Amino acid sequence: ISNGSLTIAKDLPGETRIWVCAQTCDNSYLETWIPVVAAPRATNVHLRAALNGGMKYVSNSTRSWDVNTDGKVLNLSALVYPFAAAQDVTWTVNNKGIATVTKNADGTATLNFTGTKFGKLVITATANDGSKEKTSFTLNVVNSVISLDLNSGLSVVGGKSLNLSKELTIDPAKPTNKKVTWTMLMKDSDGNLVEVPKTVATLSTSGSLSTKKITDGQNIELVITVTAQDGYGAADTETVVITPAT
């Protein structure tokens, strides 16, 4: 201590209680004792996020977050080490267009996704004790396909083509990954689903259905399934009928 300025060592072993005496200089010998509690400086910060039903440690990791299935709010907390160090931290994000972060009264934080922008979001917690200790984790924020709706009641005359992608509605209209996979089966005379021979029809990866002419005058039922490629499970199946030319 010098001229009333108290300097505390950086590497305290734990919370330390110090008594400081202030004494007059006029020979009256008046004095007072002031207790000072000194906390050790932060040496590390660990982040936790409410993922998969509980708080998980996420420091220096990369996770995926889908605003449609995971929600538009994520709860966060930070642990400053050693435990005796001040637990107060500052929360920041690198892209407020994707999400904003609000510090709660108890020191935790709430991440609020805007739902309008998506991409890589870095969340950082920095200790407020002057140590500059901080840690981050990254979220790949996506806008998944909620549903696929292929128009029902479709038919095409044998020998003609039908662009199924134009008959498809994707919700939301602008997902992060708009790619879909098309598959096709057909019903045989017993109603069983079987592979479609190329002599009947072919289906391209872009959803273009090309059919052959029907020679026996009987309708052929194709079962078309479209599946979103983003891995979140959206799909739809409809029947497309190939009819003979009239």
Side-chain angles (χ1 to χ4, degrees):
I1 188 168
S2 175
N3 296 322
S5 177
L6 177 65
T7 301
I8 299 174
K10 292 183 178 180
D11 301 321
L12 293 178
E15 184 175 279
T16 303
R17 183 177 295 272
I18 303 170
W19 286 87
V20 178
C21 178
Q23 190 178 66
T24 61
C25 298
D26 60 359
N27 296 322
S28 62
Y29 300 106
L30 296 176
E31 65 181 24
T32 186
W33 288 85
I34 304 169
V36 176
V37 178
R41 290 167 65 90
T43 58
N44 207 340
V45 179
H46 287 261
L47 288 182
R48 297 191 300 175
L51 300 171
N52 302 321
M55 297 300 289
K56 310 292 184 182
Y57 285 98
V58 293
S59 297
N60 304 314
S61 68
T62 298
R63 306 294 181 98
S64 293
W65 185 268
D66 171 38
V67 295
N68 296 320
T69 60
D70 296 320
K72 292 188 176 181
V73 175
L74 177 61
N75 295 318
L76 307 168
S77 67
L79 291 175
V80 180
Y81 288 86
F83 290 117
Q87 296 296 308
D88 189 40
V89 299
T90 296
W91 296 92
T92 56
V93 292
N94 70 325
N95 191 331
K96 293 182 179 179
I98 297 176
T100 58
V101 64
T102 302
K103 186 176 180 179
N104 303 317
D106 62 359
T108 63
T110 302
L111 197 62
N112 296 281
F113 298 92
T114 64
T116 57
K117 290 188 176 182
F118 311 92
K120 184 177 290 186
L121 180 71
V122 180
I123 303 98
T124 302
T126 304
N128 283 336
D129 64 353
S131 65
K132 299 183 180 180
E133 287 293 329
K134 62 183 179 180
T135 190
S136 303
F137 84 106
T138 302
L139 282 179
N140 289 323
V141 184
V142 300
N143 187 25
S144 70
V145 176
I146 298 175
S147 67
L148 296 174
D149 184 15
L150 184 61
N151 289 338
S152 59
L154 296 174
S155 64
V156 59
V157 176
K160 302 293 184 179
S161 296
L162 178 63
N163 189 348
L164 294 175
S165 63
K166 292 185 177 181
E167 307 292 338
L168 179 66
T169 300
I170 300 177
D171 181 31
K174 294 182 179 180
T176 303
N177 183 353
K178 201 172 184 177
K179 293 181 179 180
V180 297
T181 298
W182 297 91
T183 57
M184 175 176 63
L185 296 171
M186 66 179 286
K187 291 183 179 181
D188 64 13
S189 58
D190 296 322
N192 299 315
L193 293 177
V194 296
E195 296 291 331
V196 181
K198 293 182 179 180
T199 55
V200 173
T202 58
L203 181 60
S204 73
T205 56
S206 62
S208 178
L209 176 65
S210 299
T211 67
K212 304 297 182 180
K213 290 182 178 181
I214 293 178
T215 57
D216 61 5
Q218 300 295 317
N219 289 348
I220 298 175
E221 291 188 5
L222 302 177
V223 178
I224 308 293
T225 298
V226 57
T227 306
Q229 290 187 13
D230 63 3
Y232 287 91
D236 191 23
T237 299
E238 294 291 345
T239 299
V240 177
V241 179
I242 305 176
T243 62
T246 57

